[in-house]
mmCIF file of all heavy atoms in Angstrom:
data_model
loop_
_atom_site.group_PDB
_atom_site.id
_atom_site.type_symbol
_atom_site.label_atom_id
_atom_site.label_comp_id
_atom_site.label_asym_id
_atom_site.label_seq_id
_atom_site.Cartn_x
_atom_site.Cartn_y
_atom_site.Cartn_z
ATOM 1 N N GLY A 9 1.335 23.338 -7.338
ATOM 2 C CA GLY A 9 2.251 24.188 -8.106
ATOM 3 C C GLY A 9 2.885 23.320 -9.186
ATOM 4 O O GLY A 9 4.045 23.530 -9.540
ATOM 5 N N ALA A 10 2.119 22.374 -9.698
ATOM 6 C CA ALA A 10 2.655 21.355 -10.607
ATOM 7 C C ALA A 10 3.065 21.878 -11.953
ATOM 8 O O ALA A 10 3.803 21.222 -12.688
ATOM 9 C CB ALA A 10 1.573 20.242 -10.805
ATOM 10 N N THR A 11 2.627 23.098 -12.288
ATOM 11 C CA THR A 11 3.045 23.689 -13.581
ATOM 12 C C THR A 11 4.337 24.504 -13.457
ATOM 13 O O THR A 11 4.880 24.999 -14.448
ATOM 14 C CB THR A 11 1.930 24.641 -14.122
ATOM 15 O OG1 THR A 11 1.607 25.565 -13.076
ATOM 16 C CG2 THR A 11 0.714 23.870 -14.537
ATOM 17 N N GLY A 12 4.866 24.657 -12.250
ATOM 18 C CA GLY A 12 6.034 25.486 -12.031
ATOM 19 C C GLY A 12 7.316 24.716 -12.141
ATOM 20 O O GLY A 12 7.318 23.481 -12.319
ATOM 21 N N ASN A 13 8.436 25.399 -12.027
ATOM 22 C CA ASN A 13 9.766 24.772 -12.107
ATOM 23 C C ASN A 13 9.906 23.666 -11.069
ATOM 24 O O ASN A 13 10.329 22.567 -11.365
ATOM 25 C CB ASN A 13 10.857 25.814 -11.781
ATOM 26 C CG ASN A 13 11.207 26.657 -12.980
ATOM 27 O OD1 ASN A 13 10.923 26.271 -14.109
ATOM 28 N ND2 ASN A 13 11.793 27.805 -12.741
ATOM 29 N N VAL A 14 9.564 23.987 -9.809
ATOM 30 C CA VAL A 14 9.786 23.033 -8.709
ATOM 31 C C VAL A 14 8.745 21.938 -8.799
ATOM 32 O O VAL A 14 9.050 20.747 -8.645
ATOM 33 C CB VAL A 14 9.739 23.766 -7.348
ATOM 34 C CG1 VAL A 14 9.838 22.746 -6.203
ATOM 35 C CG2 VAL A 14 10.890 24.782 -7.245
ATOM 36 N N GLY A 15 7.496 22.275 -9.061
ATOM 37 C CA GLY A 15 6.436 21.305 -9.113
ATOM 38 C C GLY A 15 6.678 20.212 -10.166
ATOM 39 O O GLY A 15 6.516 19.010 -9.948
ATOM 40 N N ALA A 36 -2.624 23.484 -9.663
ATOM 41 C CA ALA A 36 -2.026 24.821 -9.881
ATOM 42 C C ALA A 36 -3.169 25.831 -9.781
ATOM 43 O O ALA A 36 -4.227 25.510 -9.276
ATOM 44 C CB ALA A 36 -1.328 24.884 -11.247
ATOM 45 N N SER A 37 -2.918 27.044 -10.296
ATOM 46 C CA SER A 37 -4.026 28.027 -10.198
ATOM 47 C C SER A 37 -5.073 27.731 -11.262
ATOM 48 O O SER A 37 -4.847 26.927 -12.172
ATOM 49 C CB SER A 37 -3.406 29.396 -10.420
ATOM 50 O OG SER A 37 -3.181 29.589 -11.789
ATOM 51 N N ARG A 39 -5.804 29.477 -13.693
ATOM 52 C CA ARG A 39 -5.254 29.819 -15.008
ATOM 53 C C ARG A 39 -4.799 28.548 -15.733
ATOM 54 O O ARG A 39 -4.799 28.460 -16.972
ATOM 55 C CB ARG A 39 -4.037 30.683 -14.866
ATOM 56 C CG ARG A 39 -4.243 32.066 -14.310
ATOM 57 C CD ARG A 39 -2.901 32.821 -14.258
ATOM 58 N NE ARG A 39 -1.960 32.292 -13.248
ATOM 59 C CZ ARG A 39 -1.921 32.636 -11.989
ATOM 60 N NH1 ARG A 39 -2.811 33.519 -11.534
ATOM 61 N NH2 ARG A 39 -1.054 32.113 -11.139
ATOM 62 N N SER A 40 -4.297 27.563 -14.996
ATOM 63 C CA SER A 40 -3.693 26.376 -15.613
ATOM 64 C C SER A 40 -4.622 25.167 -15.666
ATOM 65 O O SER A 40 -4.152 24.043 -15.962
ATOM 66 C CB SER A 40 -2.450 25.965 -14.801
ATOM 67 O OG SER A 40 -1.543 27.021 -14.710
ATOM 68 N N LEU A 57 -6.398 24.355 -7.603
ATOM 69 C CA LEU A 57 -6.111 24.244 -6.171
ATOM 70 C C LEU A 57 -7.307 24.779 -5.361
ATOM 71 O O LEU A 57 -7.660 24.169 -4.337
ATOM 72 C CB LEU A 57 -4.842 25.047 -5.832
ATOM 73 C CG LEU A 57 -4.555 25.342 -4.384
ATOM 74 C CD1 LEU A 57 -4.389 24.078 -3.556
ATOM 75 C CD2 LEU A 57 -3.263 26.199 -4.247
ATOM 76 N N ALA A 71 4.604 23.825 -3.807
ATOM 77 C CA ALA A 71 5.616 24.670 -4.443
ATOM 78 C C ALA A 71 4.970 25.840 -5.113
ATOM 79 O O ALA A 71 4.920 25.955 -6.349
ATOM 80 C CB ALA A 71 6.427 23.832 -5.437
ATOM 81 N N ILE A 72 4.315 26.684 -4.309
ATOM 82 C CA ILE A 72 3.712 27.928 -4.772
ATOM 83 C C ILE A 72 4.283 29.046 -3.864
ATOM 84 O O ILE A 72 4.925 28.724 -2.886
ATOM 85 C CB ILE A 72 2.186 27.883 -4.752
ATOM 86 C CG1 ILE A 72 1.668 27.509 -3.335
ATOM 87 C CG2 ILE A 72 1.665 26.857 -5.729
ATOM 88 C CD1 ILE A 72 0.146 27.476 -3.218
ATOM 89 N N GLY A 73 4.108 30.265 -4.203
ATOM 90 C CA GLY A 73 4.686 31.342 -3.386
ATOM 91 C C GLY A 73 4.085 31.413 -1.998
ATOM 92 O O GLY A 73 3.061 30.770 -1.723
ATOM 93 N N SER A 74 4.702 32.221 -1.126
ATOM 94 C CA SER A 74 4.251 32.311 0.274
ATOM 95 C C SER A 74 2.815 32.790 0.440
ATOM 96 O O SER A 74 2.070 32.295 1.291
ATOM 97 C CB SER A 74 5.147 33.284 1.045
ATOM 98 O OG SER A 74 6.408 32.706 1.199
ATOM 99 N N ALA A 76 0.118 32.470 -1.560
ATOM 100 C CA ALA A 76 -0.837 31.405 -1.863
ATOM 101 C C ALA A 76 -0.721 30.270 -0.817
ATOM 102 O O ALA A 76 -1.715 29.683 -0.411
ATOM 103 C CB ALA A 76 -0.632 30.885 -3.264
ATOM 104 N N TYR A 80 -3.617 28.324 1.393
ATOM 105 C CA TYR A 80 -4.030 26.938 1.110
ATOM 106 C C TYR A 80 -3.369 25.881 2.019
ATOM 107 O O TYR A 80 -3.944 24.831 2.201
ATOM 108 C CB TYR A 80 -3.780 26.626 -0.361
ATOM 109 C CG TYR A 80 -4.611 27.446 -1.290
ATOM 110 C CD1 TYR A 80 -4.082 28.501 -2.012
ATOM 111 C CD2 TYR A 80 -6.005 27.217 -1.419
ATOM 112 C CE1 TYR A 80 -4.881 29.265 -2.877
ATOM 113 C CE2 TYR A 80 -6.793 27.997 -2.247
ATOM 114 C CZ TYR A 80 -6.204 29.007 -2.986
ATOM 115 O OH TYR A 80 -7.009 29.770 -3.804
ATOM 116 N N ASN A 94 7.596 24.317 0.245
ATOM 117 C CA ASN A 94 8.813 24.883 -0.287
ATOM 118 C C ASN A 94 8.951 26.394 -0.094
ATOM 119 O O ASN A 94 9.994 26.940 -0.373
ATOM 120 C CB ASN A 94 8.965 24.582 -1.770
ATOM 121 C CG ASN A 94 9.639 23.263 -2.008
ATOM 122 O OD1 ASN A 94 10.838 23.209 -2.068
ATOM 123 N ND2 ASN A 94 8.858 22.209 -2.112
ATOM 124 N N SER A 95 7.866 27.077 0.268
ATOM 125 C CA SER A 95 8.010 28.507 0.439
ATOM 126 C C SER A 95 8.721 28.806 1.745
ATOM 127 O O SER A 95 8.988 27.918 2.546
ATOM 128 C CB SER A 95 6.597 29.145 0.447
ATOM 129 O OG SER A 95 5.990 28.994 1.711
ATOM 130 N N ARG A 99 9.205 28.349 7.612
ATOM 131 C CA ARG A 99 10.589 27.829 7.944
ATOM 132 C C ARG A 99 11.033 28.213 9.358
ATOM 133 O O ARG A 99 11.822 27.499 10.000
ATOM 134 C CB ARG A 99 11.584 28.367 6.949
ATOM 135 C CG ARG A 99 11.459 27.737 5.583
ATOM 136 C CD ARG A 99 12.530 28.330 4.643
ATOM 137 N NE ARG A 99 12.201 27.961 3.267
ATOM 138 C CZ ARG A 99 12.591 28.673 2.231
ATOM 139 N NH1 ARG A 99 13.300 29.798 2.387
ATOM 140 N NH2 ARG A 99 12.244 28.330 1.020
ATOM 141 N N PRO A 128 13.988 23.934 3.293
ATOM 142 C CA PRO A 128 14.749 25.186 3.380
ATOM 143 C C PRO A 128 14.926 25.873 2.054
ATOM 144 O O PRO A 128 14.581 25.335 0.994
ATOM 145 C CB PRO A 128 16.116 24.694 3.880
ATOM 146 C CG PRO A 128 16.213 23.287 3.460
ATOM 147 C CD PRO A 128 14.814 22.744 3.462
ATOM 148 N N CYS A 130 16.965 27.139 -1.153
ATOM 149 C CA CYS A 130 17.825 26.326 -1.998
ATOM 150 C C CYS A 130 19.330 26.436 -1.638
ATOM 151 O O CYS A 130 20.044 25.474 -1.594
ATOM 152 C CB CYS A 130 17.642 26.700 -3.466
ATOM 153 S SG CYS A 130 17.336 28.428 -3.750
ATOM 154 N N SER A 160 16.739 30.160 -12.179
ATOM 155 C CA SER A 160 15.597 29.295 -11.923
ATOM 156 C C SER A 160 15.156 29.384 -10.483
ATOM 157 O O SER A 160 14.056 29.000 -10.151
ATOM 158 C CB SER A 160 15.911 27.837 -12.328
ATOM 159 O OG SER A 160 17.053 27.400 -11.623
ATOM 160 N N GLY A 161 16.034 29.911 -9.633
ATOM 161 C CA GLY A 161 15.630 30.136 -8.233
ATOM 162 C C GLY A 161 14.536 31.188 -8.142
ATOM 163 O O GLY A 161 13.899 31.334 -7.079
ATOM 164 N N SER A 162 14.307 32.004 -9.194
ATOM 165 C CA SER A 162 13.232 32.971 -9.180
ATOM 166 C C SER A 162 12.028 32.473 -9.964
ATOM 167 O O SER A 162 11.184 33.272 -10.378
ATOM 168 C CB SER A 162 13.678 34.293 -9.798
ATOM 169 O OG SER A 162 14.969 34.603 -9.499
ATOM 170 N N GLY A 163 11.982 31.156 -10.229
ATOM 171 C CA GLY A 163 10.780 30.637 -10.929
ATOM 172 C C GLY A 163 10.888 30.783 -12.457
ATOM 173 O O GLY A 163 11.900 31.244 -12.980
ATOM 174 N N LYS A 164 9.758 30.443 -13.100
ATOM 175 C CA LYS A 164 9.712 30.503 -14.579
ATOM 176 C C LYS A 164 10.015 31.883 -15.099
ATOM 177 O O LYS A 164 10.701 32.034 -16.140
ATOM 178 C CB LYS A 164 8.306 30.129 -15.047
ATOM 179 C CG LYS A 164 7.884 28.689 -14.720
ATOM 180 C CD LYS A 164 6.442 28.408 -15.167
ATOM 181 C CE LYS A 164 5.448 29.071 -14.243
ATOM 182 N NZ LYS A 164 4.047 28.647 -14.430
ATOM 183 N N ASN A 316 19.589 23.479 -7.993
ATOM 184 C CA ASN A 316 18.719 24.162 -7.020
ATOM 185 C C ASN A 316 17.251 23.721 -7.097
ATOM 186 O O ASN A 316 16.507 23.793 -6.157
ATOM 187 C CB ASN A 316 18.802 25.676 -7.220
ATOM 188 C CG ASN A 316 18.507 26.127 -8.656
ATOM 189 O OD1 ASN A 316 19.252 25.775 -9.556
ATOM 190 N ND2 ASN A 316 17.417 26.857 -8.814
ATOM 191 N N LEU A 317 16.836 23.216 -8.304
ATOM 192 C CA LEU A 317 15.459 22.740 -8.376
ATOM 193 C C LEU A 317 15.303 21.367 -7.771
ATOM 194 O O LEU A 317 14.214 20.920 -7.501
ATOM 195 C CB LEU A 317 15.001 22.727 -9.853
ATOM 196 C CG LEU A 317 15.052 24.091 -10.572
ATOM 197 C CD1 LEU A 317 14.630 23.933 -12.032
ATOM 198 C CD2 LEU A 317 14.115 25.083 -9.849
ATOM 199 N N GLY A 320 17.838 21.737 -3.838
ATOM 200 C CA GLY A 320 17.371 23.011 -3.266
ATOM 201 C C GLY A 320 15.887 23.086 -3.103
ATOM 202 O O GLY A 320 15.394 24.006 -2.487
ATOM 203 N N ALA A 321 15.131 22.129 -3.666
ATOM 204 C CA ALA A 321 13.676 22.208 -3.591
ATOM 205 C C ALA A 321 13.026 20.855 -3.717
ATOM 206 O O ALA A 321 12.736 20.183 -2.707
ATOM 207 C CB ALA A 321 13.167 23.179 -4.643
HETATM 208 N N1 LIG B 1 13.175 27.563 -7.748
HETATM 209 C C1 LIG B 1 13.874 27.242 -6.678
HETATM 210 O O1 LIG B 1 15.140 27.017 -6.745
HETATM 211 C C2 LIG B 1 13.244 27.157 -5.363
HETATM 212 C C3 LIG B 1 13.951 26.662 -4.316
HETATM 213 C C4 LIG B 1 13.365 26.560 -3.031
HETATM 214 C C5 LIG B 1 12.060 26.990 -2.890
HETATM 215 N N2 LIG B 1 11.362 27.499 -3.930
HETATM 216 C C6 LIG B 1 9.988 27.945 -3.687
HETATM 217 O O2 LIG B 1 9.088 27.058 -4.383
HETATM 218 C C7 LIG B 1 7.935 27.791 -4.766
HETATM 219 C C8 LIG B 1 7.693 27.626 -6.266
HETATM 220 O O3 LIG B 1 8.810 28.061 -6.992
HETATM 221 P P1 LIG B 1 8.963 27.824 -8.576
HETATM 222 O O4 LIG B 1 10.382 28.146 -8.841
HETATM 223 O O5 LIG B 1 8.450 26.508 -8.984
HETATM 224 O O6 LIG B 1 7.964 28.981 -9.179
HETATM 225 P P2 LIG B 1 7.289 29.017 -10.607
HETATM 226 O O7 LIG B 1 8.065 28.281 -11.624
HETATM 227 O O8 LIG B 1 7.007 30.453 -10.859
HETATM 228 O O9 LIG B 1 5.919 28.267 -10.391
HETATM 229 C C9 LIG B 1 4.894 28.719 -9.501
HETATM 230 C C10 LIG B 1 3.794 27.655 -9.365
HETATM 231 O O10 LIG B 1 2.913 28.129 -8.343
HETATM 232 C C11 LIG B 1 1.587 28.131 -8.911
HETATM 233 N N3 LIG B 1 0.803 29.194 -8.262
HETATM 234 C C12 LIG B 1 1.152 30.472 -8.078
HETATM 235 N N4 LIG B 1 0.157 31.163 -7.447
HETATM 236 C C13 LIG B 1 -0.836 30.243 -7.255
HETATM 237 C C14 LIG B 1 -2.137 30.300 -6.676
HETATM 238 N N5 LIG B 1 -2.638 31.426 -6.189
HETATM 239 N N6 LIG B 1 -2.872 29.202 -6.631
HETATM 240 C C15 LIG B 1 -2.422 28.024 -7.137
HETATM 241 N N7 LIG B 1 -1.197 27.902 -7.708
HETATM 242 C C16 LIG B 1 -0.433 28.986 -7.763
HETATM 243 C C17 LIG B 1 1.786 28.340 -10.364
HETATM 244 O O11 LIG B 1 0.619 27.950 -11.060
HETATM 245 P P3 LIG B 1 0.232 28.617 -12.462
HETATM 246 O O12 LIG B 1 1.181 28.041 -13.486
HETATM 247 O O13 LIG B 1 -1.167 28.184 -12.643
HETATM 248 O O14 LIG B 1 0.398 30.076 -12.294
HETATM 249 C C18 LIG B 1 3.004 27.451 -10.603
HETATM 250 O O15 LIG B 1 2.598 26.100 -10.694
HETATM 251 C C19 LIG B 1 8.177 29.250 -4.337
HETATM 252 O O16 LIG B 1 7.625 29.433 -3.042
HETATM 253 C C20 LIG B 1 9.690 29.308 -4.223
HETATM 254 O O17 LIG B 1 10.100 30.300 -3.317
HETATM 255 C C21 LIG B 1 11.922 27.568 -5.195
#
Side-chain angles (χ1 to χ4, degrees):
T11 52
N13 278 340
V14 175
S37 75
R39 295 181 290 275
S40 305
L57 166 61
I72 55 180
S74 291
Y80 297 106
N94 271 275
S95 80
R99 289 181 194 153
C130 37
S160 56
S162 322
K164 294 176 287 192
N316 54 296
L317 299 178

